Each structure stands twice: as C-alpha cells, then as structure tokens.
Amino acid sequence: MASTVDWTALRAAAVRAAALAYCPYSNLRVGAAALCDDGRTVVGCNVENGSFGLTLCAECTMAGQLRLTGGGRFVAVACRSAAGELLMPCGRCRQLLQELGGPDCLVDTPRGVLPMREVLPDAFEF
C-alpha cells in the first residue's frame, strides 16, 4: 500500500491544514492529513485552549472529520507544521491512529514510512 500513497500530496494537505490552526499559546501550527480506505483525504489542525490540557491535536480534529464525512479507516497519515516540518503524533494521538487505522496504517516518521505496529508497539487493545 505504501507505493500507492501519494505522500507528496498528503504532506502538502497537512501543511495547508496547519495554516488554519488556532494556536495563540504555542504558536505551533500543526496539520494532519490522512488517506482513507475509500480514497478520500481528511485533514485536521490543532485547536488550542486556555486550559492547555483540553487542547485538540491536529490528529483529533482529523479523526472527527473522518467520522463526520462517512467513517471508514485511515490508511496513511502525515503530520506537518505550517513550515512543512515533519511532526510526530503524541502518545494519545498514536493510540487514536491505531484505533482508527489499525496496525497496518502507515505513518510518515523521521525513520521513513512505518506501519502503526512499529510506531506504537504493544498498543492498548480491548
């Protein structure tokens, strides 16, 4: 599946989403983009909050878009800053990607494209 993912387009979609972030506290604009199992792309951006623990990560808003636009599963995910820098999902978001994409979901990482089973080994499962 890695060969069928247009990583250039997915990364560009994440950068465009990052430009829309609401981040008055950290000034770190984060965007996430995912290819879904039906071929569509969903995106998300971070939305900060004065109560920092309630801040929404880009992957969280992207998960909401997945559900709001028809559901399905994530196939491949890229996270970027507004400047195009690669950013890794935090632990909470890795669990979210695991649940909505599964162990075969591909993630763009500093070590290259890896499946979630390598990004989050021994993931929590019910």
Side-chain angles (χ1 to χ4, degrees), residues 19-79:
L20 301 172
Y22 175 73
C23 53
Y25 306 104
S26 73
N27 293 313
L28 176 61
R29 295 181 177 278
V30 181
L35 175 64
C36 302
D37 58 358
D38 64 1
R40 73 195 143 99
T41 298
V42 293
V43 298
C45 65
N46 59 319
V47 179
E48 293 182 348
N49 185 299
S51 177
F52 297 129
L54 298 179
T55 290
L56 296 175
C57 296
E59 298 88 343
C60 292
T61 63
M62 181 178 72
Q65 286 301 307
L66 173 73
R67 302 303 307 157
L68 288 167
T69 61
R73 305 284 288 167
F74 292 140
V75 172
V77 176
C79 299

